[in-house]
Amino acid sequence: MALLPVVALGRPALAEVVFDPTPAAADPERGVFWRDIVEPHKAEIATILQKARQALTQADTWLSYDYDHIVESHDRIYRDVYGMLRFARKLAPENTDVLALLGQTADAIGKTREALEALHMTVQLVGPEKAGFEVTGRLGGIYLRLGELDDAIRYLRLAQGPLLPSVPSSARVLVDLSTALALRGEMSEAIDVLANSLPTVNPGYYPNEVLLVSFALAVQYDRDEQRGAAFEVIDHLETALQTQLAPQLQTALVGFRFALAEDQHYYLGLIYEIGGFYSEARTEWALYAASGNAPWRGRALEHIAAIDAERRVPPKKKPVPAPQPHIKVHIH
């Protein structure tokens, strides 16, 4: 039998592999693609936030002008911005910038439930320490307004920080925290919150925030019947600002929203009284005393009694009316 030829079985030839160290060209659309997957409306949200912040800044600036139509325009802008931000939230439900600004505008137009929901969602997403004093401070202010002092103080403590010129919310947090502590019967600590935040030396210039906290300190001293301490605070302000004290105080109060609405009457009563406008002061003290369960109603009635007693004393000479007389520091 013939033998079959033996066939050599060899390995198949391997293709030559050449390594090219040159990196592949970057795909310019790759980052955009993944950004659109993760944040599909990022550009639109950024535009809405920019326009919303600009509108709110403009609206708040207008408040310094004492015209009725300005107030109406301010409120209308806040309502319009609220609508913009609700739309933005539908596009990005967990965007904390949107939620924080939505909470601010909702609170400003009286939608307290919506404000609390948006602000609490912000805290839930990033934690209370990282939410920022604008968020926790506003939560504290809302709870103070609702009379829930423990929650108010907890959030206001989180928001508490240095008093910053040109940052109105830094002053609001300190005043609200002081008010909440005083309402809980901790007046000594309430006074310390304000006193410890002020500059240790009298500044040559008083930004609205420093002026507001300084006057709030005088108010707390007055409520605590520390009349000498209240006199000292106001005397320092009068020495620095002279006849501009009353006008600047009124300007500082224009954009300030009191957590307790009746407190505005107390502050104005003291401003008018130290300025010598006793009729106006009496009216404000009376309005405060008539404000339901005003916590310092007794002190307001004491101011009224002192004004009435002083007005019964015959004047030595007929006073000359003036738009803004020299501030006379006089606390009853």
Side-chain angles (χ1 to χ4, degrees):
M1 180 170 56
L3 296 176
L4 293 175
V6 178
V7 178
L9 300 177
R11 295 182 180 178
L14 296 177
E16 183 179 3
V17 178
V18 178
F19 175 72
D20 183 2
T22 305
D27 181 358
E29 297 299 320
R30 181 177 177 82
V32 175
F33 171 79
W34 287 111
R35 184 198 67 193
D36 290 343
I37 292 295
V38 177
E39 299 178 276
H41 304 286
K42 183 177 181 179
E44 189 173 2
I45 293 297
T47 300
I48 292 174
L49 286 171
Q50 180 185 16
K51 291 182 177 180
R53 291 183 178 119
Q54 289 175 346
L56 295 179
T57 299
Q58 182 64 64
D60 291 343
T61 301
W62 285 349
L63 283 181
S64 59
Y65 300 97
D66 189 17
Y67 301 109
D68 290 339
H69 72 277
I70 290 295
V71 175
E72 294 173 3
S73 298
H74 173 274
D75 295 345
R76 185 181 66 253
I77 289 174
Y78 263 80
R79 288 192 296 271
D80 290 345
V81 170
Y82 173 74
M84 291 169 53
L85 292 169
R86 287 190 65 192
F87 172 73
R89 186 180 182 184
K90 290 180 181 179
L91 299 179
E94 295 188 352
N95 185 300
T96 54
D97 290 332
V98 171
L99 288 167
L101 207 56
L102 178 62
Q104 173 187 334
T105 53
D107 182 38
I109 63 176
K111 294 184 178 293
T112 303
R113 182 180 61 81
E114 290 86 347
L116 285 172
E117 193 271 334
L119 296 170
H120 275 300
M121 178 63 73
T122 307
V123 173
Q124 180 180 338
L125 288 170
V126 299
E129 290 77 14
K130 295 182 179 180
F133 69 92
E134 294 280 3
V135 170
T136 51
R138 190 167 294 274
L139 275 170
I142 292 174
Y143 281 121
L144 173 57
R145 192 166 69 242
L146 296 175
E148 300 180 24
L149 296 182
D150 289 342
D151 285 333
I153 292 171
R154 177 164 60 91
Y155 281 110
L156 289 167
R157 284 291 194 198
L158 284 169
Q160 184 182 6
L163 179 59
L164 303 173
S166 302
V167 183
S169 53
S170 68
R172 187 188 68 239
V173 165
L174 293 167
V175 174
D176 284 352
L177 177 57
S178 177
T179 301
L181 290 167
L183 287 171
R184 204 165 67 173
E186 301 172 22
M187 181 58 85
S188 178
E189 189 171 356
I191 289 172
D192 287 344
V193 164
L194 300 175
N196 293 338
S197 69
L198 291 170
T200 55
V201 295
N202 289 337
Y205 165 70
Y206 277 84
N208 284 344
E209 294 74 26
V210 175
L211 183 58
L212 180 60
V213 171
S214 297
F215 192 72
L217 178 60
V219 167
Q220 295 293 53
Y221 278 134
D222 181 76
R223 289 170 169 176
D224 199 39
E225 299 195 27
Q226 297 188 48
R227 303 175 193 184
F231 172 90
E232 184 177 353
V233 171
I234 295 173
D235 184 51
H236 286 162
L237 293 176
E238 194 272 341
T239 300
L241 299 173
Q242 300 295 320
T243 59
Q244 293 303 306
L245 175 56
Q248 287 194 29
L249 278 171
Q250 290 174 321
T251 299
L253 290 177
V254 165
F256 186 81
R257 182 185 182 187
F258 290 96
L260 305 180
E262 64 270 18
D263 273 359
Q264 181 174 356
H265 298 304
Y266 201 109
Y267 277 64
L268 288 175
L270 194 57
I271 291 173
Y272 285 133
E273 188 171 319
I274 65 176
F277 296 96
Y278 295 121
S279 295
E280 292 83 353
R282 192 185 192 286
T283 298
E284 296 297 338
W285 292 125
L287 287 171
Y288 178 82
S291 302
N293 297 320
W296 291 280
R297 181 174 182 272
R299 188 72 186 105
L301 293 176
E302 290 176 4
H303 278 278
I304 292 174
I307 289 173
D308 289 345
E310 183 161 325
R311 294 172 72 179
R312 284 194 294 268
V313 177
K316 295 181 180 179
K317 61 179 180 179
K318 185 177 180 181
V320 178
Q324 293 294 342
H326 185 73
I327 301 299
K328 298 176 181 177
V329 181
H330 185 67
I331 299 177
H332 297 294

CSV table of all heavy atoms in Angstrom, one decimal, residues 21-49:
chain,number,residue,atom,x,y,z
A,21,PRO,N,2.1,55.8,18.6
A,21,PRO,CA,1.9,56.6,19.9
A,21,PRO,C,1.1,57.8,19.8
A,21,PRO,O,0.8,58.5,20.8
A,21,PRO,CB,3.4,56.9,20.3
A,21,PRO,CG,4.1,57.0,19.0
A,21,PRO,CD,3.4,56.0,18.1
A,22,THR,N,0.8,58.3,18.6
A,22,THR,CA,0.0,59.5,18.4
A,22,THR,C,-1.4,59.3,18.9
A,22,THR,O,-2.1,58.4,18.4
A,22,THR,CB,0.0,59.9,16.9
A,22,THR,OG1,1.3,60.0,16.5
A,22,THR,CG2,-0.7,61.3,16.8
A,23,PRO,N,-1.9,60.1,19.9
A,23,PRO,CA,-3.3,60.0,20.3
A,23,PRO,C,-4.3,60.3,19.3
A,23,PRO,O,-4.0,61.1,18.4
A,23,PRO,CB,-3.4,60.9,21.5
A,23,PRO,CG,-2.3,62.0,21.2
A,23,PRO,CD,-1.2,61.3,20.5
A,24,ALA,N,-5.4,59.7,19.4
A,24,ALA,CA,-6.5,60.0,18.4
A,24,ALA,C,-7.0,61.4,18.6
A,24,ALA,O,-7.0,61.9,19.8
A,24,ALA,CB,-7.7,59.0,18.6
A,25,ALA,N,-7.5,62.0,17.6
A,25,ALA,CA,-8.0,63.4,17.7
A,25,ALA,C,-9.2,63.4,18.6
A,25,ALA,O,-10.1,62.5,18.5
A,25,ALA,CB,-8.3,63.9,16.3
A,26,ALA,N,-9.3,64.5,19.4
A,26,ALA,CA,-10.4,64.6,20.3
A,26,ALA,C,-11.7,64.9,19.6
A,26,ALA,O,-11.7,65.6,18.6
A,26,ALA,CB,-10.1,65.7,21.3
A,27,ASP,N,-12.7,64.2,20.0
A,27,ASP,CA,-14.0,64.5,19.4
A,27,ASP,C,-14.7,65.7,20.0
A,27,ASP,O,-15.0,65.6,21.2
A,27,ASP,CB,-14.9,63.2,19.6
A,27,ASP,CG,-16.3,63.4,18.9
A,27,ASP,OD1,-16.5,64.5,18.3
A,27,ASP,OD2,-17.1,62.5,18.9
A,28,PRO,N,-14.8,66.8,19.3
A,28,PRO,CA,-15.4,68.0,19.9
A,28,PRO,C,-16.8,67.8,20.5
A,28,PRO,O,-17.2,68.6,21.3
A,28,PRO,CB,-15.3,69.0,18.8
A,28,PRO,CG,-15.3,68.3,17.6
A,28,PRO,CD,-14.6,67.0,17.9
A,29,GLU,N,-17.5,66.9,20.0
A,29,GLU,CA,-18.9,66.7,20.4
A,29,GLU,C,-19.0,65.7,21.5
A,29,GLU,O,-20.1,65.6,22.1
A,29,GLU,CB,-19.7,66.1,19.2
A,29,GLU,CG,-19.8,67.1,18.0
A,29,GLU,CD,-20.5,68.4,18.4
A,29,GLU,OE1,-21.4,68.4,19.2
A,29,GLU,OE2,-20.0,69.5,18.0
A,30,ARG,N,-17.9,65.1,21.9
A,30,ARG,CA,-18.0,64.0,23.0
A,30,ARG,C,-18.4,64.6,24.3
A,30,ARG,O,-19.3,64.1,25.0
A,30,ARG,CB,-16.6,63.3,23.1
A,30,ARG,CG,-16.7,62.2,24.2
A,30,ARG,CD,-15.3,61.5,24.2
A,30,ARG,NE,-15.3,60.5,25.3
A,30,ARG,CZ,-15.8,59.3,25.1
A,30,ARG,NH1,-16.4,58.9,24.0
A,30,ARG,NH2,-15.8,58.4,26.1
A,31,GLY,N,-17.8,65.8,24.7
A,31,GLY,CA,-18.1,66.4,26.0
A,31,GLY,C,-19.6,66.9,26.0
A,31,GLY,O,-20.3,66.8,27.0
A,32,VAL,N,-19.9,67.5,24.9
A,32,VAL,CA,-21.3,68.0,24.7
A,32,VAL,C,-22.3,66.9,24.8
A,32,VAL,O,-23.3,67.0,25.5
A,32,VAL,CB,-21.4,68.8,23.4
A,32,VAL,CG1,-22.9,69.2,23.2
A,32,VAL,CG2,-20.5,70.0,23.4
A,33,PHE,N,-22.0,65.8,24.2
A,33,PHE,CA,-22.9,64.6,24.2
A,33,PHE,C,-23.2,64.2,25.7
A,33,PHE,O,-24.3,64.0,26.1
A,33,PHE,CB,-22.3,63.5,23.4
A,33,PHE,CG,-23.1,62.2,23.6
A,33,PHE,CD1,-24.2,62.0,22.9
A,33,PHE,CD2,-22.6,61.2,24.4
A,33,PHE,CE1,-24.9,60.8,23.0
A,33,PHE,CE2,-23.3,60.0,24.6
A,33,PHE,CZ,-24.5,59.8,23.8
A,34,TRP,N,-22.1,64.0,26.5
A,34,TRP,CA,-22.3,63.5,27.8
A,34,TRP,C,-22.9,64.6,28.7
A,34,TRP,O,-23.7,64.3,29.6
A,34,TRP,CB,-21.0,63.0,28.4
A,34,TRP,CG,-20.5,61.7,27.8
A,34,TRP,CD1,-19.5,61.5,27.0
A,34,TRP,CD2,-21.2,60.5,28.0
A,34,TRP,NE1,-19.5,60.2,26.6
A,34,TRP,CE2,-20.5,59.5,27.2
A,34,TRP,CE3,-22.3,60.0,28.7
A,34,TRP,CZ2,-20.9,58.2,27.1
A,34,TRP,CZ3,-22.7,58.7,28.6
A,34,TRP,CH2,-22.0,57.8,27.9
A,35,ARG,N,-22.5,65.8,28.4
A,35,ARG,CA,-23.2,66.9,29.2
A,35,ARG,C,-24.7,66.9,29.0
A,35,ARG,O,-25.5,67.1,29.9
A,35,ARG,CB,-22.6,68.3,28.8
A,35,ARG,CG,-23.1,69.4,29.7
A,35,ARG,CD,-22.8,70.8,29.0
A,35,ARG,NE,-23.6,70.9,27.7
A,35,ARG,CZ,-23.4,71.8,26.8
A,35,ARG,NH1,-22.4,72.6,26.9
A,35,ARG,NH2,-24.2,71.8,25.7
A,36,ASP,N,-25.1,66.7,27.7
A,36,ASP,CA,-26.5,66.7,27.4
A,36,ASP,C,-27.2,65.5,28.0
A,36,ASP,O,-28.4,65.6,28.3
A,36,ASP,CB,-26.7,66.8,25.9
A,36,ASP,CG,-26.3,68.1,25.3
A,36,ASP,OD1,-26.1,69.1,26.0
A,36,ASP,OD2,-26.1,68.2,24.0
A,37,ILE,N,-26.5,64.4,28.2
A,37,ILE,CA,-27.1,63.3,28.8
A,37,ILE,C,-27.3,63.6,30.3
A,37,ILE,O,-28.4,63.3,30.9
A,37,ILE,CB,-26.2,62.0,28.6
A,37,ILE,CG1,-26.2,61.6,27.2
A,37,ILE,CG2,-26.7,60.9,29.5
A,37,ILE,CD1,-27.5,61.2,26.6
A,38,VAL,N,-26.3,64.1,31.0
A,38,VAL,CA,-26.3,64.3,32.4
A,38,VAL,C,-27.2,65.6,32.7
A,38,VAL,O,-28.0,65.6,33.7
A,38,VAL,CB,-24.9,64.4,33.0
A,38,VAL,CG1,-25.0,64.7,34.5
A,38,VAL,CG2,-24.1,63.2,32.8
A,39,GLU,N,-26.9,66.7,32.0
A,39,GLU,CA,-27.6,67.9,32.3
A,39,GLU,C,-28.2,68.4,30.9
A,39,GLU,O,-27.6,69.3,30.3
A,39,GLU,CB,-26.7,69.0,32.9
A,39,GLU,CG,-26.1,68.6,34.2
A,39,GLU,CD,-25.1,69.6,34.7
A,39,GLU,OE1,-24.0,69.6,34.4
A,39,GLU,OE2,-25.6,70.5,35.5
A,40,PRO,N,-29.3,67.9,30.5
A,40,PRO,CA,-29.8,68.2,29.2
A,40,PRO,C,-30.2,69.7,29.0
A,40,PRO,O,-30.3,70.1,27.9
A,40,PRO,CB,-31.0,67.2,29.0
A,40,PRO,CG,-31.4,66.9,30.4
A,40,PRO,CD,-30.1,66.9,31.2
A,41,HIS,N,-30.5,70.4,30.1
A,41,HIS,CA,-31.0,71.7,30.0
A,41,HIS,C,-30.1,72.7,30.7
A,41,HIS,O,-30.5,73.8,31.1
A,41,HIS,CB,-32.4,71.9,30.6
A,41,HIS,CG,-33.4,70.9,30.0
A,41,HIS,ND1,-33.9,71.1,28.8
A,41,HIS,CD2,-33.9,69.8,30.5
A,41,HIS,CE1,-34.8,70.1,28.5
A,41,HIS,NE2,-34.8,69.3,29.5
A,42,LYS,N,-28.8,72.4,30.7
A,42,LYS,CA,-27.8,73.2,31.5
A,42,LYS,C,-27.8,74.6,31.0
A,42,LYS,O,-27.8,75.6,31.8
A,42,LYS,CB,-26.5,72.6,31.4
A,42,LYS,CG,-25.4,73.3,32.3
A,42,LYS,CD,-24.1,72.7,32.2
A,42,LYS,CE,-23.0,73.4,33.1
A,42,LYS,NZ,-21.7,72.7,33.1
A,43,ALA,N,-27.7,74.8,29.7
A,43,ALA,CA,-27.6,76.2,29.1
A,43,ALA,C,-28.8,77.0,29.4
A,43,ALA,O,-28.8,78.2,29.8
A,43,ALA,CB,-27.3,76.1,27.6
A,44,GLU,N,-30.0,76.3,29.2
A,44,GLU,CA,-31.3,77.0,29.5
A,44,GLU,C,-31.4,77.4,30.9
A,44,GLU,O,-31.9,78.5,31.2
A,44,GLU,CB,-32.4,76.1,29.0
A,44,GLU,CG,-33.8,76.8,29.0
A,44,GLU,CD,-34.8,75.9,28.4
A,44,GLU,OE1,-34.5,74.8,28.0
A,44,GLU,OE2,-36.0,76.4,28.3
A,45,ILE,N,-31.0,76.5,31.8
A,45,ILE,CA,-31.1,76.8,33.3
A,45,ILE,C,-30.2,78.0,33.6
A,45,ILE,O,-30.6,78.9,34.4
A,45,ILE,CB,-30.7,75.6,34.1
A,45,ILE,CG1,-31.8,74.5,33.9
A,45,ILE,CG2,-30.6,75.9,35.6
A,45,ILE,CD1,-33.2,74.8,34.4
A,46,ALA,N,-29.0,78.0,33.1
A,46,ALA,CA,-28.1,79.1,33.4
A,46,ALA,C,-28.6,80.4,32.9
A,46,ALA,O,-28.5,81.4,33.6
A,46,ALA,CB,-26.7,78.8,32.7
A,47,THR,N,-29.3,80.4,31.8
A,47,THR,CA,-29.9,81.7,31.3
A,47,THR,C,-31.0,82.1,32.2
A,47,THR,O,-31.1,83.3,32.5
A,47,THR,CB,-30.4,81.5,29.8
A,47,THR,OG1,-29.3,81.1,29.0
A,47,THR,CG2,-31.0,82.7,29.3
A,48,ILE,N,-31.9,81.2,32.6
A,48,ILE,CA,-33.0,81.6,33.5
A,48,ILE,C,-32.5,82.1,34.8
A,48,ILE,O,-33.0,83.1,35.3
A,48,ILE,CB,-33.9,80.3,33.7
A,48,ILE,CG1,-34.6,80.0,32.4
A,48,ILE,CG2,-34.9,80.6,34.8
A,48,ILE,CD1,-35.4,78.7,32.5
A,49,LEU,N,-31.5,81.5,35.4
A,49,LEU,CA,-30.9,81.9,36.7
A,49,LEU,C,-30.3,83.3,36.5
A,49,LEU,O,-30.5,84.2,37.4
A,49,LEU,CB,-29.9,80.9,37.2
A,49,LEU,CG,-30.4,79.6,37.7
A,49,LEU,CD1,-29.2,78.7,38.0
A,49,LEU,CD2,-31.2,79.9,39.0
